Amino acid sequence: MVFKRLLGSLGVGGPTVDTVLEQGAALPGGPLSGQIHLKGGSADFDIDHITLELIARVEVEHEDGESEGGIAFERFTVAGNFRLAEGEERTVPFTVTLPWETPVTELYGQPLGVVLGVRTELAVAGAKDKGDLDPLTVGPLPAQEAVLEALGQLGFGFKSADLEYGRIHGTGQTLPFYQEIELTPAPQYAHAATEIEVTFLAHPGGMEVVLEADKRGGPFGGGHDALTRFTVGHQDVRDWNTEVDGWVRQLLEHR
């Protein structure tokens, strides 16, 4: 029995775990629910804990260029301190709350190219087994959707979205990375900017919207970056097209 327990802790004859997330897109700051299906191994096992890790694929800039890597940005212990009998099948339901700054992976059901996942860690007798990565789908908050919809109405086009390692100075950012949604400029602004980047930094009381522009250079100098920041409430009702157009104008006039 001791030898069987040792094999189990190393992954041979040990418990198996399968996590199933609730269907549909979660929201930043909202609940993420699902079930963890356990099946006992070839002996009884004491489960120290079951932990969920939120993983993001993040771009990191360095001297040699850019590279991508997985970063765990939140952990939740959802169960633990119980015995799983030999061959026993058990289901552990869970509901956790996503961080407010969780990136958005889709808009109107269309993927943006941002990769998030949930990894389940099973700790047995001091050994930790990290399972496969289950894809995590996150939709926009109402204010995020309103800003992006306004940009679309104004003629901006979606180019790409990625996660950048680092911090935006002067903001309340809490995660070690931030999401950039890159847009091609609307025709009326094409003379002033080659690209507009939008970052949302949500928190319980509202949201910071950070706009950055790659400005075109004039005849006497090269282009440069400009950055502005605005604050909105989660339930704000505004004339979003006029509001966002004003933001863009302020951004491009920024010195």
Side-chain angles (χ1 to χ4, degrees):
M1 175 63 76
V2 172
F3 183 60
K4 288 174 73 175
R5 293 178 70 87
L6 174 61
L7 287 176
S9 68
L10 298 176
V12 180
T16 60
V17 59
D18 179 33
T19 299
V20 179
L21 300 179
E22 199 170 86
Q23 289 190 339
L27 295 179
L32 174 67
S33 300
Q35 295 183 334
I36 299 169
H37 301 293
L38 298 170
K39 186 170 183 179
S42 55
D44 295 351
F45 286 91
D46 292 322
I47 308 298
D48 296 335
H49 63 77
I50 303 174
T51 299
L52 301 178
E53 272 188 329
L54 302 184
I55 309 291
R57 190 174 72 190
V58 177
E59 292 185 358
V60 180
E61 294 186 2
H62 43 74
E63 292 181 358
D64 300 324
E66 286 187 348
S67 61
E68 287 189 335
I71 291 182
F73 63 96
E74 186 63 281
R75 286 172 60 89
F76 308 96
T77 297
V78 295
N81 296 319
F82 65 90
R83 173 159 290 197
L84 188 67
E86 178 180 350
E88 176 188 356
E89 295 186 3
R90 182 183 296 205
T91 296
V92 179
F94 66 85
T95 297
V96 297
T97 302
L98 294 180
W100 281 97
E101 289 179 22
T102 300
V104 175
T105 67
E106 70 169 31
L107 182 64
Y108 303 124
Q110 298 297 312
L112 299 179
V114 171
V115 178
L116 301 181
V118 179
R119 177 172 287 146
T120 306
E121 178 184 279
L122 188 67
V124 181
K128 296 179 180 179
D129 178 34
K130 293 191 176 183
D132 294 335
L133 205 60
D134 295 291
L136 172 60
T137 302
V138 180
L141 293 165
Q144 293 172 331
E145 184 174 315
V147 171
L148 292 173
E149 173 68 20
L151 286 164
Q153 293 281 347
L154 291 168
F156 289 86
F158 175 76
K159 184 178 179 182
S160 65
D162 57 25
L163 305 181
E164 297 281 346
Y165 185 79
R167 297 186 180 278
I168 302 176
H169 296 296
T171 68
Q173 181 186 345
T174 59
L175 293 184
F177 60 85
Y178 55 92
Q179 181 174 20
E180 281 187 342
I181 299 175
E182 300 174 358
L183 305 172
T184 56
Q188 64 269 32
Y189 296 119
H191 68 283
T194 59
E195 184 178 271
I196 300 288
E197 297 171 349
V198 184
T199 295
F200 298 114
L201 298 173
H203 52 83
M207 184 175 66
E208 293 177 271
V209 183
V210 181
L211 296 181
E212 184 175 2
D214 290 337
K215 297 181 72 172
R216 294 189 186 277
F220 305 108
H224 64 281
D225 293 344
L227 185 146
T228 56
R229 181 169 60 92
F230 306 92
T231 302
V232 300
H234 289 300
Q235 305 302 325
D236 281 6
V237 177
R238 308 186 184 191
D239 178 349
W240 287 107
N241 284 20
T242 301
E243 183 90 11
V244 173
D245 189 49
W247 293 351
V248 174
R249 291 179 186 275
Q250 183 174 331
L251 169 68
L252 296 180
E253 293 168 0
H254 183 75
R255 295 292 182 267

